Amino acid sequence: MAEVVMPQMGESVAEGTIVRWIKKVGDRVDRDEPLFEISTDKVDAEIPSPWAGVLLEIRAKEGETVPVESVVAVIGEAATTVAAPVAAGEAAKPAPPAAAAPPPPAAPVAVAPAPAPVAAAPAPVAAGGEAPRPAAAATQTPIAEEGHKQKSSPLVRRIAKDHGVDLSQVPGTGLGGRVTKDDILAYLDKGGTPAAPARAAAPQQAAHVPAFKPGDNVEVVPMSVMRRKIADHMVLSRRTSAHVHSVFEVDYTRVAKIRQARKADYERQGVKLTYMSFLMKAAVDALKAVPVVNTSIDGDNIVYKKNINLGIAVALDWGLIVPVIKHAEEKNVLGLSRAIQDLAARARAKQLKPDEVQGGTFTITNPGVFGAQFGMPIISQPQVAILGVGTIEKRVAVLEDDAIGIRTKGYLSIGYDHRLIDGAVADEFMSHLKKTIENFDPDAV
Amino acid sequence: MLSDRKLVVRRLGVVGYAEGLALQQALVAQRAADEIDDTLLLLQHPHVLTLGVKTGESRTHVLATPERLAELGVEIHETGRGGDVTYHGPGQIVGYPIINLKPDRCDVHQYVRDLEEVMIRVTADYGFQAGRIQGLTGAWVVADKIGAIGVRIQRWITSHGFAFNVTTDLDFFRLIVPCGISDRGVTSLKRLTGRDIPIPEVEDHLVHHFCSVFSRTL
């Protein structure tokens, strides 16, 4: 009995898609004989069987994408394929009764937990001549056992079995929580005790709810590559960072005056002076003052970026792109304005070079242009913060002398990663930004 | 000092797609048995659309009707390589490296990056900067693909490989959504430089950079 795992096809390869099973359940396979094909990036690879025996179970269907080192198949001895599930149920530890789930179509196989040898049948009919409905204990237990099965090698499991250790109780330090030989030996050294009853089932993914049924009045349009990438990145970011948001109101009246005074000058040089010009400069200053906002997290380390590379989100008809102004700390208001004008124009003309959308260390997004008072933006990984600029407009304000007046104002929001940045630090950054905008030095423009 | 591994280059001219496939299969077996050295096949195919193993999807990326394809003399082939639908035809250098990635190059992504590097360097020889776009395999000049990649690996022996547009008639790409990517275009050395560059000359550049990227000697 041995498991076949998704092989690691290189350091950078984290997952693979099963393209085709060359062998079927019940087929005999020799060691090194092609067993299945995977696809990753633009590469297809034929994977030879690591073991000789009979293919007892296929756990990953064709088309399924699974992480490396996860179990995709089980290979065992031919004799075990005829064992009846009743015997497997008896040999199994008592398990609480559970509603028998219909067997997965790709793997009509009943598997019992250790210490009993795994019993499997090539087809449901052979498994007792009944309808395809193996005994409750037999179908229910593999789920509970899956946790440790996925995360140990045959050697480790043999050691575990010899010492009567439940592997799910052993802390794994290997890839993906895998229990290594050292882990189990250390566990035994510390006097690890024999297994407790199987732990609770691993959390299952939420069931996929179909978005439409055949015959529904819908039109199905495949996502563009860009759309898919945005979708993946947003979910990845939500899962990676502990997002927290904070909103400040900023008085742009002074900046509005400077802008009016200097606009024509800038235009003569072919550059538009916008509120974004001031915000970029103020953000750079604030990042210099609070450098932890200009970092990334790498494992347990904080990576401080020596340069400030400002990503500015640009909306496109067909999506969204974030061109990056490299070395923004070396640029003045004119330079920043010119850079973003050029990048945005080329983004819309699809003329950006690949490295012009990479390497950002902090991002500014501008939901205000679409009328939003403020946004709650999602961080662009692997950055740790993102600034959202809300609509800038004239508002009624209480002035210093308690009079009521009209000021140009807008909200600024920040989304930050609370793993690294606490509220006080984020607010220090935002206060710095606000102060810079409200006291902007006209000579700097 | 370790010497570089030997590479045999075979320049085959125009080869039918099926014929090329059979040759590759034979060479993979021979390479696995260590009967031959690492080999790089350089050739051109007659007009052909090849479908990768994700055929379910890639069929829908063929935009022309079978009748239209027949009229243009374009064949369709299913293949064992990675990737989606691809066009091959005259003026495009197809490179099929049959090399053993063992022992020191066992990383499929690195292999693909290395093939990209070869094409990027050749493009640079002609004065244009090509690059990579994350998630979109190939060599890109701005948003246009000049070189495509689709690879198969069996026990770390490579087959299939890359296709580099020199004087390719780019109109043929309109028959398909190249590699399933609909919002990007294709280009060629001819489109970039405005010149008809001889195929053998570009092959020389490819061989040179292939050897240097993969540390092989002829």
Side-chain angles (χ1 to χ4, degrees):
Chain A
M1 238 299 284
E3 284 160 349
V4 181
V5 298
M6 175 63 73
Q8 173 124 33
M9 298 296 285
E11 233 172 87
S12 60
V13 183
E15 58 180 28
T17 303
I18 306 262
V19 177
R20 186 164 76 95
W21 280 97
I22 299 166
K23 297 286 178 184
K24 295 191 301 293
V25 170
D27 282 358
R28 171 153 281 283
V29 57
D30 282 333
R31 196 184 142 94
D32 272 350
E33 201 182 348
L35 184 61
F36 61 106
E37 287 185 3
I38 64 164
S39 160
T40 166
D41 202 347
K42 285 298 183 77
V43 180
D44 280 334
E46 203 178 80
I47 307 302
S49 174
W51 322 103
V54 171
L55 182 55
L56 297 179
E57 186 188 351
I58 287 177
R59 292 220 189 136
K61 293 194 292 286
E62 291 181 1
E64 213 173 294
T65 300
V66 297
V68 298
E69 301 292 346
S70 56
V71 177
V72 297
V74 179
I75 287 177
E77 288 312 310
T80 61
T81 62
V82 291
V86 179
E90 281 168 5
K93 287 180 204 165
V109 175
V111 181
V118 164
V125 178
E130 278 187 13
R133 181 181 286 260
T139 47
Q140 190 257 350
T141 41
I143 300 163
E145 294 290 297
E146 204 167 2
H148 79 65
K149 275 190 179 165
Q150 280 185 340
K151 291 173 183 158
S152 56
S153 71
L155 173 67
V156 167
R157 281 195 305 282
R158 185 156 1 107
I159 298 171
K161 196 182 156 192
D162 290 350
H163 291 84
V165 171
D166 177 359
L167 273 178
S168 66
Q169 305 300 314
V170 182
T173 60
L175 197 70
R178 201 180 161 95
V179 177
T180 66
K181 191 177 129 197
D182 289 347
D183 293 337
I184 183 139
L185 293 179
Y187 182 81
L188 289 169
D189 275 355
K190 281 189 283 181
T193 45
R199 61 183 176 153
Q204 300 282 301
Q205 274 204 321
H208 174 73
V209 181
F212 65 97
K213 295 191 298 291
D216 281 0
N217 186 21
V218 296
E219 184 192 359
V220 182
V221 180
M223 286 191 195
S224 68
V225 173
M226 176 179 275
R227 192 71 257 155
R228 283 206 308 265
K229 287 176 82 166
I230 295 171
D232 288 346
H233 190 85
M234 290 300 110
V235 174
L236 168 88
S237 183
R238 272 288 192 211
R239 223 168 36 217
T240 304
S241 294
H243 279 80
V244 181
H245 293 90
S246 177
V247 182
F248 276 62
E249 190 179 38
V250 176
D251 190 327
Y252 291 93
T253 311
R254 182 183 174 90
V255 159
K257 282 192 188 126
I258 300 173
R259 180 166 169 256
Q260 275 311 321
R262 304 281 292 131
K263 224 164 87 176
D265 251 10
Y266 270 62
E267 253 157 45
R268 270 192 293 280
Q269 301 174 66
V271 178
K272 264 167 75 180
L273 183 62
T274 64
Y275 286 107
M276 184 57 89
S277 311
F278 296 89
L279 283 162
M280 289 188 291
K281 183 73 177 84
V284 168
D285 289 352
L287 288 167
K288 282 186 198 159
V290 190
V292 73
V293 182
N294 197 54
T295 61
S296 286
I297 295 178
D298 180 44
D300 291 336
N301 297 322
I302 305 167
V303 182
Y304 284 84
K305 310 290 173 69
K306 297 284 174 68
N307 295 113
I308 296 171
N309 297 337
L310 270 190
I312 311 288
V314 174
L316 306 169
D317 293 342
W318 60 93
L320 164 81
I321 201 160
V322 186
V324 174
I325 303 175
K326 300 276 165 69
H327 296 211
E329 77 279 8
E330 294 169 359
K331 293 187 161 60
N332 58 15
V333 174
L334 178 66
L336 290 167
S337 309
R338 198 188 286 283
I340 190 54
Q341 190 173 319
D342 166 58
L343 287 169
R346 284 191 298 119
R348 293 192 180 101
K350 300 192 188 185
Q351 297 280 309
L352 285 178
K353 298 198 194 84
D355 71 332
E356 288 175 325
V357 293
Q358 290 164 6
T361 63
F362 180 80
T363 299
I364 304 179
T365 181
N366 189 2
V369 294
F370 306 109
Q373 288 285 309
F374 53 82
M376 292 293 182
I378 296 177
I379 295 164
S380 173
Q381 296 297 325
Q383 299 166 27
V384 294
I386 182 167
L387 180 71
V389 181
T391 291
I392 297 166
E393 62 192 354
K394 286 187 178 168
R395 289 186 192 147
V396 177
V398 178
L399 307 178
E400 271 171 26
D401 53 0
D402 277 0
I404 290 173
I406 297 165
R407 307 286 288 179
T408 303
K409 287 188 158 199
Y411 294 107
L412 288 179
S413 58
I414 182 168
Y416 59 95
D417 189 340
H418 205 337
R419 288 181 302 166
L420 187 57
I421 299 173
D422 294 332
V425 177
D427 290 346
E428 182 193 346
F429 172 84
M430 291 297 277
S431 298
H432 194 287
L433 190 50
K434 176 181 162 86
K435 210 177 291 168
T436 308
I437 290 289
E438 292 180 349
N439 302 289
F440 215 95
D441 175 8
D443 296 335
V445 183
Chain B
M1 194 182 130
L2 283 170
S3 60
D4 286 347
R5 239 156 66 180
K6 192 166 182 244
L7 178 76
V8 174
V9 177
R10 294 172 62 179
R11 304 188 189 209
L12 302 173
V14 178
V15 177
Y17 191 79
E19 209 182 318
L21 212 53
L23 176 61
Q24 288 187 68
Q25 275 162 9
L27 291 176
V28 167
Q30 289 175 38
R31 185 70 193 87
D34 247 333
E35 291 165 10
I36 55 168
D37 288 309
D38 284 342
T39 302
L40 172 62
L41 304 179
L42 293 176
L43 50 97
Q44 297 173 63
H45 285 309
H47 301 294
V48 62
L49 298 184
T50 62
L51 305 174
V53 276
K54 297 190 285 178
T55 38
E57 257 174 75
S58 61
R59 279 277 175 196
T60 64
H61 292 142
V62 177
L63 303 174
T65 61
E67 295 76 31
R68 175 80 183 128
L69 293 177
E71 194 182 303
L72 291 164
V74 178
E75 283 183 45
I76 287 204
H77 266 280
E78 288 187 8
T79 94
R81 62 152 172 77
D84 202 288
V85 60
T86 304
Y87 161 80
H88 300 297
Q92 179 193 64
I93 301 177
V94 172
Y96 292 144
I98 314 291
I99 67 174
N100 193 345
L101 295 177
K102 275 190 198 164
D104 54 335
R105 312 187 80 92
C106 290
D107 185 326
V108 296
H109 283 179
Q110 188 55 46
Y111 177 62
V112 169
R113 300 288 90 80
D114 286 343
L115 291 181
E116 287 171 348
E117 182 64 24
V118 171
M119 295 192 283
I120 288 167
R121 291 191 192 181
V122 173
T123 312
D125 288 345
Y126 289 90
F128 286 83
Q129 195 192 331
R132 298 182 178 85
I133 299 182
Q134 214 186 352
L136 302 179
T137 302
W140 298 82
V141 180
V142 192
D144 294 329
K145 181 148 57 167
I146 188 160
I149 289 175
V151 165
R152 182 172 172 80
I153 291 177
Q154 292 152 284
R155 297 176 205 187
W156 297 112
I157 306 216
T158 62
S159 56
H160 294 276
F162 61 87
F164 187 74
N165 293 320
V166 182
T167 56
T168 320
D169 181 348
L170 300 176
D171 282 347
F172 279 89
F173 282 99
R174 294 189 191 177
L175 303 173
I176 59 167
V177 182
C179 291
I181 301 162
S182 54
D183 55 357
R184 310 256 171 181
V186 285
T187 192
S188 66
L189 276 188
K190 182 178 177 174
R191 162 79 58 91
L192 293 174
T193 60
R195 304 193 281 129
D196 270 316
I197 298 161
I199 295 283
E201 180 190 309
V202 181
E203 287 181 346
D204 290 345
H205 287 264
L206 281 166
V207 170
H208 171 77
H209 290 301
F210 189 92
C211 286
S212 98
V213 169
F214 285 92
S215 307
R216 297 290 195 270
T217 50
L218 294 177

